[in-house]
Amino acid sequence: MSTEAWIVVVVAGVLVLVTLVLAVRLLVRLVKARGLLREAGIPVQNKAVFWGAILYLVSPVDLLPDPVYLDDIGILLLALRSLYSAAEAAGLRPRRD
């Protein structure tokens, strides 16, 4: 394999690793936000958003192939935003990590 090919493989691997780490960090934030809202009377739609985002993350069916986690990150960001909006509507002030 040529040097250029190895460079492409390494760069692609690093990009996949970075997006995977970002997706995991967002998942942790999403779980923390749900924990914040657990006893605050979350509307059913926000519970559905949380579980929908989790199911989409682990689902083998994606909009983009799995080495590209951009769609998963987008879904997690939307769910996180929805949970933070529900917290603000309930009068809670979620911590921004």
Side-chain angles (χ1 to χ4, degrees):
M1 208 184 228
S2 70
T3 305
E4 292 84 18
W6 277 109
I7 291 172
V8 169
V9 168
V10 169
V11 168
V14 168
L15 288 175
V16 167
L17 184 63
V18 166
T19 56
L20 179 62
V21 167
L22 182 58
V24 169
R25 286 190 65 203
L26 286 172
L27 178 63
V28 168
R29 287 184 69 183
L30 184 68
V31 170
K32 284 181 181 180
R34 184 183 180 275
L36 174 70
L37 296 173
R38 182 176 295 149
E39 296 176 8
I42 326 172
V44 174
Q45 67 197 31
N46 293 106
K47 290 179 184 178
V49 166
F50 171 79
W51 287 112
I54 299 297
L55 287 174
Y56 186 81
L57 184 66
V58 298
S59 170
V61 178
D62 280 340
L63 294 174
L64 298 173
D66 252 349
V68 181
Y69 293 103
L70 295 178
D71 58 331
D72 297 300
I73 290 170
I75 296 294
L76 289 172
L77 283 172
L78 288 173
L80 190 60
R81 182 177 177 192
S82 172
L83 289 177
Y84 278 138
S85 295
E88 290 172 5
L92 300 174
R93 291 203 143 269
R95 291 183 322 183
R96 303 280 180 167
D97 295 324

PDB file of all heavy atoms in Angstrom, residues 15-36:
ATOM      1  N   LEU A  15     -11.186  10.655  11.769  1.00  0.00           N
ATOM      2  CA  LEU A  15     -12.478  11.334  11.642  1.00  0.00           C
ATOM      3  C   LEU A  15     -13.620  10.488  12.187  1.00  0.00           C
ATOM      4  O   LEU A  15     -14.513  11.000  12.864  1.00  0.00           O
ATOM      5  CB  LEU A  15     -12.740  11.711  10.186  1.00  0.00           C
ATOM      6  CG  LEU A  15     -11.892  12.851   9.635  1.00  0.00           C
ATOM      7  CD1 LEU A  15     -12.164  13.049   8.150  1.00  0.00           C
ATOM      8  CD2 LEU A  15     -12.146  14.130  10.396  1.00  0.00           C
ATOM      9  N   VAL A  16     -13.593   9.194  11.900  1.00  0.00           N
ATOM     10  CA  VAL A  16     -14.627   8.294  12.430  1.00  0.00           C
ATOM     11  C   VAL A  16     -14.548   8.264  13.948  1.00  0.00           C
ATOM     12  O   VAL A  16     -15.570   8.323  14.641  1.00  0.00           O
ATOM     13  CB  VAL A  16     -14.475   6.888  11.830  1.00  0.00           C
ATOM     14  CG1 VAL A  16     -15.309   5.872  12.592  1.00  0.00           C
ATOM     15  CG2 VAL A  16     -14.862   6.889  10.367  1.00  0.00           C
ATOM     16  N   LEU A  17     -13.345   8.185  14.495  1.00  0.00           N
ATOM     17  CA  LEU A  17     -13.174   8.150  15.940  1.00  0.00           C
ATOM     18  C   LEU A  17     -13.664   9.446  16.589  1.00  0.00           C
ATOM     19  O   LEU A  17     -14.346   9.420  17.616  1.00  0.00           O
ATOM     20  CB  LEU A  17     -11.706   7.905  16.284  1.00  0.00           C
ATOM     21  CG  LEU A  17     -11.379   7.753  17.767  1.00  0.00           C
ATOM     22  CD1 LEU A  17     -12.081   6.532  18.328  1.00  0.00           C
ATOM     23  CD2 LEU A  17      -9.882   7.649  17.954  1.00  0.00           C
ATOM     24  N   VAL A  18     -13.361  10.585  15.990  1.00  0.00           N
ATOM     25  CA  VAL A  18     -13.796  11.871  16.536  1.00  0.00           C
ATOM     26  C   VAL A  18     -15.315  11.984  16.527  1.00  0.00           C
ATOM     27  O   VAL A  18     -15.918  12.413  17.517  1.00  0.00           O
ATOM     28  CB  VAL A  18     -13.143  13.038  15.754  1.00  0.00           C
ATOM     29  CG1 VAL A  18     -13.812  14.359  16.064  1.00  0.00           C
ATOM     30  CG2 VAL A  18     -11.660  13.109  16.057  1.00  0.00           C
ATOM     31  N   THR A  19     -15.958  11.586  15.440  1.00  0.00           N
ATOM     32  CA  THR A  19     -17.420  11.670  15.396  1.00  0.00           C
ATOM     33  C   THR A  19     -18.063  10.677  16.371  1.00  0.00           C
ATOM     34  O   THR A  19     -19.100  10.979  16.959  1.00  0.00           O
ATOM     35  CB  THR A  19     -17.970  11.450  13.976  1.00  0.00           C
ATOM     36  OG1 THR A  19     -17.517  10.202  13.479  1.00  0.00           O
ATOM     37  CG2 THR A  19     -17.550  12.565  13.050  1.00  0.00           C
ATOM     38  N   LEU A  20     -17.440   9.517  16.551  1.00  0.00           N
ATOM     39  CA  LEU A  20     -17.958   8.546  17.515  1.00  0.00           C
ATOM     40  C   LEU A  20     -17.857   9.090  18.937  1.00  0.00           C
ATOM     41  O   LEU A  20     -18.801   8.986  19.726  1.00  0.00           O
ATOM     42  CB  LEU A  20     -17.213   7.224  17.400  1.00  0.00           C
ATOM     43  CG  LEU A  20     -17.636   6.127  18.369  1.00  0.00           C
ATOM     44  CD1 LEU A  20     -19.092   5.755  18.134  1.00  0.00           C
ATOM     45  CD2 LEU A  20     -16.744   4.913  18.220  1.00  0.00           C
ATOM     46  N   VAL A  21     -16.738   9.712  19.266  1.00  0.00           N
ATOM     47  CA  VAL A  21     -16.577  10.311  20.592  1.00  0.00           C
ATOM     48  C   VAL A  21     -17.603  11.418  20.804  1.00  0.00           C
ATOM     49  O   VAL A  21     -18.211  11.516  21.873  1.00  0.00           O
ATOM     50  CB  VAL A  21     -15.131  10.833  20.774  1.00  0.00           C
ATOM     51  CG1 VAL A  21     -15.007  11.733  21.999  1.00  0.00           C
ATOM     52  CG2 VAL A  21     -14.159   9.666  20.869  1.00  0.00           C
ATOM     53  N   LEU A  22     -17.820  12.237  19.796  1.00  0.00           N
ATOM     54  CA  LEU A  22     -18.817  13.301  19.900  1.00  0.00           C
ATOM     55  C   LEU A  22     -20.211  12.724  20.114  1.00  0.00           C
ATOM     56  O   LEU A  22     -20.979  13.221  20.942  1.00  0.00           O
ATOM     57  CB  LEU A  22     -18.792  14.183  18.649  1.00  0.00           C
ATOM     58  CG  LEU A  22     -19.750  15.358  18.625  1.00  0.00           C
ATOM     59  CD1 LEU A  22     -19.503  16.287  19.801  1.00  0.00           C
ATOM     60  CD2 LEU A  22     -19.628  16.106  17.320  1.00  0.00           C
ATOM     61  N   ALA A  23     -20.550  11.668  19.395  1.00  0.00           N
ATOM     62  CA  ALA A  23     -21.860  11.034  19.551  1.00  0.00           C
ATOM     63  C   ALA A  23     -22.024  10.469  20.959  1.00  0.00           C
ATOM     64  O   ALA A  23     -23.086  10.611  21.575  1.00  0.00           O
ATOM     65  CB  ALA A  23     -22.049   9.940  18.508  1.00  0.00           C
ATOM     66  N   VAL A  24     -20.981   9.865  21.502  1.00  0.00           N
ATOM     67  CA  VAL A  24     -21.057   9.306  22.854  1.00  0.00           C
ATOM     68  C   VAL A  24     -21.199  10.426  23.890  1.00  0.00           C
ATOM     69  O   VAL A  24     -21.991  10.311  24.833  1.00  0.00           O
ATOM     70  CB  VAL A  24     -19.828   8.419  23.149  1.00  0.00           C
ATOM     71  CG1 VAL A  24     -19.743   8.047  24.618  1.00  0.00           C
ATOM     72  CG2 VAL A  24     -19.868   7.170  22.290  1.00  0.00           C
ATOM     73  N   ARG A  25     -20.462  11.516  23.718  1.00  0.00           N
ATOM     74  CA  ARG A  25     -20.584  12.651  24.641  1.00  0.00           C
ATOM     75  C   ARG A  25     -22.003  13.226  24.616  1.00  0.00           C
ATOM     76  O   ARG A  25     -22.569  13.568  25.651  1.00  0.00           O
ATOM     77  CB  ARG A  25     -19.580  13.737  24.297  1.00  0.00           C
ATOM     78  CG  ARG A  25     -18.162  13.358  24.686  1.00  0.00           C
ATOM     79  CD  ARG A  25     -17.212  14.503  24.575  1.00  0.00           C
ATOM     80  NE  ARG A  25     -17.593  15.534  25.548  1.00  0.00           N
ATOM     81  CZ  ARG A  25     -17.265  16.795  25.419  1.00  0.00           C
ATOM     82  NH1 ARG A  25     -16.574  17.205  24.384  1.00  0.00           N
ATOM     83  NH2 ARG A  25     -17.621  17.679  26.331  1.00  0.00           N
ATOM     84  N   LEU A  26     -22.575  13.337  23.418  1.00  0.00           N
ATOM     85  CA  LEU A  26     -23.950  13.841  23.321  1.00  0.00           C
ATOM     86  C   LEU A  26     -24.937  12.875  23.965  1.00  0.00           C
ATOM     87  O   LEU A  26     -25.911  13.297  24.585  1.00  0.00           O
ATOM     88  CB  LEU A  26     -24.315  14.093  21.868  1.00  0.00           C
ATOM     89  CG  LEU A  26     -23.676  15.326  21.246  1.00  0.00           C
ATOM     90  CD1 LEU A  26     -23.964  15.369  19.758  1.00  0.00           C
ATOM     91  CD2 LEU A  26     -24.175  16.582  21.917  1.00  0.00           C
ATOM     92  N   LEU A  27     -24.696  11.588  23.818  1.00  0.00           N
ATOM     93  CA  LEU A  27     -25.563  10.600  24.446  1.00  0.00           C
ATOM     94  C   LEU A  27     -25.510  10.741  25.961  1.00  0.00           C
ATOM     95  O   LEU A  27     -26.554  10.690  26.631  1.00  0.00           O
ATOM     96  CB  LEU A  27     -25.147   9.193  24.016  1.00  0.00           C
ATOM     97  CG  LEU A  27     -25.928   8.046  24.640  1.00  0.00           C
ATOM     98  CD1 LEU A  27     -27.389   8.114  24.219  1.00  0.00           C
ATOM     99  CD2 LEU A  27     -25.319   6.724  24.232  1.00  0.00           C
ATOM    100  N   VAL A  28     -24.335  10.946  26.510  1.00  0.00           N
ATOM    101  CA  VAL A  28     -24.204  11.128  27.957  1.00  0.00           C
ATOM    102  C   VAL A  28     -24.949  12.387  28.403  1.00  0.00           C
ATOM    103  O   VAL A  28     -25.658  12.372  29.415  1.00  0.00           O
ATOM    104  CB  VAL A  28     -22.711  11.189  28.350  1.00  0.00           C
ATOM    105  CG1 VAL A  28     -22.528  11.654  29.786  1.00  0.00           C
ATOM    106  CG2 VAL A  28     -22.063   9.829  28.152  1.00  0.00           C
ATOM    107  N   ARG A  29     -24.808  13.471  27.654  1.00  0.00           N
ATOM    108  CA  ARG A  29     -25.529  14.704  27.997  1.00  0.00           C
ATOM    109  C   ARG A  29     -27.036  14.497  27.922  1.00  0.00           C
ATOM    110  O   ARG A  29     -27.793  15.036  28.729  1.00  0.00           O
ATOM    111  CB  ARG A  29     -25.109  15.837  27.072  1.00  0.00           C
ATOM    112  CG  ARG A  29     -23.710  16.349  27.387  1.00  0.00           C
ATOM    113  CD  ARG A  29     -23.341  17.507  26.555  1.00  0.00           C
ATOM    114  NE  ARG A  29     -24.160  18.663  26.936  1.00  0.00           N
ATOM    115  CZ  ARG A  29     -24.088  19.824  26.323  1.00  0.00           C
ATOM    116  NH1 ARG A  29     -23.254  19.987  25.318  1.00  0.00           N
ATOM    117  NH2 ARG A  29     -24.837  20.831  26.706  1.00  0.00           N
ATOM    118  N   LEU A  30     -27.481  13.727  26.935  1.00  0.00           N
ATOM    119  CA  LEU A  30     -28.904  13.450  26.783  1.00  0.00           C
ATOM    120  C   LEU A  30     -29.434  12.669  27.977  1.00  0.00           C
ATOM    121  O   LEU A  30     -30.502  12.979  28.515  1.00  0.00           O
ATOM    122  CB  LEU A  30     -29.145  12.679  25.482  1.00  0.00           C
ATOM    123  CG  LEU A  30     -30.581  12.376  25.111  1.00  0.00           C
ATOM    124  CD1 LEU A  30     -31.305  13.676  24.760  1.00  0.00           C
ATOM    125  CD2 LEU A  30     -30.623  11.433  23.927  1.00  0.00           C
ATOM    126  N   VAL A  31     -28.683  11.689  28.430  1.00  0.00           N
ATOM    127  CA  VAL A  31     -29.099  10.892  29.586  1.00  0.00           C
ATOM    128  C   VAL A  31     -29.108  11.755  30.848  1.00  0.00           C
ATOM    129  O   VAL A  31     -30.017  11.653  31.675  1.00  0.00           O
ATOM    130  CB  VAL A  31     -28.193   9.658  29.742  1.00  0.00           C
ATOM    131  CG1 VAL A  31     -28.452   8.949  31.053  1.00  0.00           C
ATOM    132  CG2 VAL A  31     -28.405   8.708  28.572  1.00  0.00           C
ATOM    133  N   LYS A  32     -28.124  12.641  30.996  1.00  0.00           N
ATOM    134  CA  LYS A  32     -28.102  13.548  32.150  1.00  0.00           C
ATOM    135  C   LYS A  32     -29.307  14.497  32.119  1.00  0.00           C
ATOM    136  O   LYS A  32     -29.908  14.767  33.153  1.00  0.00           O
ATOM    137  CB  LYS A  32     -26.814  14.367  32.170  1.00  0.00           C
ATOM    138  CG  LYS A  32     -25.616  13.590  32.622  1.00  0.00           C
ATOM    139  CD  LYS A  32     -24.390  14.486  32.641  1.00  0.00           C
ATOM    140  CE  LYS A  32     -23.159  13.743  33.064  1.00  0.00           C
ATOM    141  NZ  LYS A  32     -21.961  14.611  33.074  1.00  0.00           N
ATOM    142  N   ALA A  33     -29.642  15.000  30.940  1.00  0.00           N
ATOM    143  CA  ALA A  33     -30.795  15.897  30.823  1.00  0.00           C
ATOM    144  C   ALA A  33     -32.080  15.162  31.166  1.00  0.00           C
ATOM    145  O   ALA A  33     -32.966  15.717  31.815  1.00  0.00           O
ATOM    146  CB  ALA A  33     -30.873  16.484  29.416  1.00  0.00           C
ATOM    147  N   ARG A  34     -32.199  13.919  30.743  1.00  0.00           N
ATOM    148  CA  ARG A  34     -33.391  13.144  31.082  1.00  0.00           C
ATOM    149  C   ARG A  34     -33.450  12.910  32.587  1.00  0.00           C
ATOM    150  O   ARG A  34     -34.514  12.971  33.192  1.00  0.00           O
ATOM    151  CB  ARG A  34     -33.410  11.815  30.353  1.00  0.00           C
ATOM    152  CG  ARG A  34     -34.706  11.065  30.648  1.00  0.00           C
ATOM    153  CD  ARG A  34     -34.733   9.715  30.000  1.00  0.00           C
ATOM    154  NE  ARG A  34     -35.964   9.053  30.302  1.00  0.00           N
ATOM    155  CZ  ARG A  34     -36.192   8.338  31.395  1.00  0.00           C
ATOM    156  NH1 ARG A  34     -35.272   8.238  32.326  1.00  0.00           N
ATOM    157  NH2 ARG A  34     -37.349   7.742  31.587  1.00  0.00           N
ATOM    158  N   GLY A  35     -32.316  12.654  33.203  1.00  0.00           N
ATOM    159  CA  GLY A  35     -32.287  12.481  34.654  1.00  0.00           C
ATOM    160  C   GLY A  35     -32.748  13.737  35.378  1.00  0.00           C
ATOM    161  O   GLY A  35     -33.436  13.660  36.395  1.00  0.00           O
ATOM    162  N   LEU A  36     -32.377  14.886  34.848  1.00  0.00           N
ATOM    163  CA  LEU A  36     -32.806  16.164  35.423  1.00  0.00           C
ATOM    164  C   LEU A  36     -34.319  16.310  35.362  1.00  0.00           C
ATOM    165  O   LEU A  36     -34.946  16.825  36.283  1.00  0.00           O
ATOM    166  CB  LEU A  36     -32.145  17.317  34.670  1.00  0.00           C
ATOM    167  CG  LEU A  36     -32.566  18.724  35.018  1.00  0.00           C
ATOM    168  CD1 LEU A  36     -32.047  19.078  36.402  1.00  0.00           C
ATOM    169  CD2 LEU A  36     -32.045  19.694  33.986  1.00  0.00           C
TER     170      LEU A  36
END
